[in-house]
């Protein structure tokens, strides 16, 4: 199905995991994509997979650090120039760190908030002028199940993702009359670079029984940090729907993709 032929889309966090899967799915559906990330090696792999799939002529890779205002301003400008405009934006870039809240330093707190929440804001702010030139544009921001459900040792991460949800609601209302839709996806139990590394961030004296309720009720096919996970394609398909006409009546909300973990 080529629902996105002619669409021009910027995807951040596209070097690995869900961001990479999303970029590849959007290409598969006919879009032209700028895949942005701070990890150049990962972007090379994304481009290679696109070439293998026969869509290498519609992908442009871009080194961009969402935690740096100048890098975002320059990167979005380059993406819009490369695409000749912008129809949709997918903000998949993010980091996860874990710590006891009473041991969380302001440096760690600020790092997580800066990349996840402020980074999302910066990319949206810089992209809006190009998006609003078109009568039907879409922003998909990445929240997390941690924004609404308790995830131990992840207070800063949860706060950043909750902020993204609130931010998305605000811009959905502010720009609806100009044809812009803004939606959040909230993944959980999806294999990615973040989930692969999660066990290494959990405090050594963590109470692992607190994680017992964070398991999908649907079957999983992959594993990360010792837990059952779904393939990133499960999220990529939802994002592709949201930026297509199939998502035309969806805005100002979250879609949770977690295999029923929080059913």
């Amino acid at each position: 199905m080529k629902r996105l032929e002619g669409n021009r889309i910027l995807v951040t966090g596209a070097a690995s995991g869900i961001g990479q899967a999303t970029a590849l799915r959007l290409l598969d559906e006919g879009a032209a994509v700028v895949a942005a990330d701070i990890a150049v090696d990962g972007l090379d792999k994304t481009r290679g997979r696109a070439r293998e799939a026969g869509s290498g002529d519609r992908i442009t890779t871009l080194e961009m650090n969402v935690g740096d205002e100048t890098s975002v301003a320059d990167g979005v400008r380059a993406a819009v120039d490369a695409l000749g405009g912008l129809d949709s934006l997918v903000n998949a870039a993010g980091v996860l760190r874990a710590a006891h809240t009473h041991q969380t330093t302001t440096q760690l707190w600020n790092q997580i908030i800066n990349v996840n929440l402020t980074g999302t804001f910066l990319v949206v702010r810089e992209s809006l002028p190009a998006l609003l030139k078109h009568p039907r544009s879409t922003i998909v921001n990445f929240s997390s199940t941690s924004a609404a459900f308790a995830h131990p040792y992840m207070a800063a991460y949860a706060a950043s993702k909750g902020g993204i949800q609130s931010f998305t609601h605000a811009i959905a209302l502010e720009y609806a009359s100009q044809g812009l839709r803004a939606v959040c996806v909230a993944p959980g139990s999806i294999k990615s670079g973040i989930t692969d590394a999660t066990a290494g961030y959990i405090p050594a004296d963590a109470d692992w029984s607190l994680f017992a309720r964070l398991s999908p009720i649907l079957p999983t096919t992959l594993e990360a940090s010792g837990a059952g996970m779904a393939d990133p394609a499960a999220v990529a398909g939802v994002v592709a729907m949201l930026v297509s006409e199939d998502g035309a009546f969806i805005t100002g909300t979250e879609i949770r993709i977690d295999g029923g973990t929080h059913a």
Side-chain angles (χ1 to χ4, degrees):
M1 184 184 297
K2 301 292 184 183
R3 293 181 292 185
L4 301 175
E5 262 191 277
N7 277 245
R8 301 158 297 180
I9 306 175
L10 169 61
V11 180
T12 71
S16 63
I18 300 172
Q20 182 184 77
T22 297
L24 294 171
R25 175 61 182 265
L26 300 179
L27 287 165
D28 186 56
E29 296 218 18
V33 172
V34 169
D37 205 295
I38 196 171
V40 176
D41 290 348
L43 288 175
D44 290 341
K45 294 177 182 177
T46 303
R47 188 191 305 113
R49 290 186 60 182
R51 286 173 177 162
E52 290 172 6
S55 54
D57 60 326
R58 286 182 281 108
I59 186 171
T60 302
T61 55
L62 172 69
E63 182 179 1
M64 184 170 74
N65 177 6
V66 300
D68 180 89
E69 187 170 9
T70 300
S71 179
V72 171
D74 292 344
V76 171
R77 188 182 310 112
V80 172
D81 288 346
L83 293 168
L86 195 62
D87 299 300
S88 294
L89 166 66
V90 179
N91 274 309
V95 296
L96 184 149
R97 302 290 185 268
H100 289 290
T101 303
H102 68 278
Q103 294 175 341
T104 299
T105 64
T106 52
Q107 180 181 6
L108 178 59
W109 176 275
N110 290 336
Q111 177 192 16
I112 295 168
I113 297 296
N114 184 55
V115 173
N116 293 353
L117 179 54
T118 306
T120 295
F121 156 70
L122 288 173
V123 180
V124 167
R125 185 189 70 186
E126 295 302 315
S127 300
L128 276 170
L131 290 167
L132 294 175
K133 288 181 179 179
H134 305 284
R136 297 175 73 83
S137 55
T138 312
I139 294 172
V140 178
N141 291 327
F142 270 61
S143 180
S144 160
T145 54
S146 67
F149 302 94
H151 287 213
Y153 315 112
M154 300 180 192
Y157 180 76
S160 72
K161 294 301 186 174
I164 289 171
Q165 287 192 181
S166 297
F167 171 65
T168 303
H169 281 254
I171 60 175
L173 179 58
E174 183 175 351
Y175 296 102
S177 64
Q178 293 171 258
L180 177 75
R181 294 185 296 111
V183 189
C184 267
V185 290
S189 299
I190 307 293
K191 184 176 173 64
S192 67
I194 283 178
T195 59
D196 288 341
T198 298
Y201 293 127
I202 301 299
D205 61 345
D207 179 357
W208 285 93
S209 70
L210 299 178
F211 292 91
R213 59 194 294 247
L214 302 179
S215 298
I217 60 176
L218 293 179
T220 58
T221 57
L222 302 174
E223 184 177 300
S225 297
M229 299 279 165
D231 191 283
V235 180
V238 175
V239 175
M241 178 275 291
L242 288 170
V243 300
S244 77
E245 283 302 304
D246 289 336
F249 205 56
I250 303 173
T251 194
T253 190
E254 296 79 51
I255 298 179
R256 179 161 48 88
I257 312 162
D258 68 348
T261 297
H262 301 288

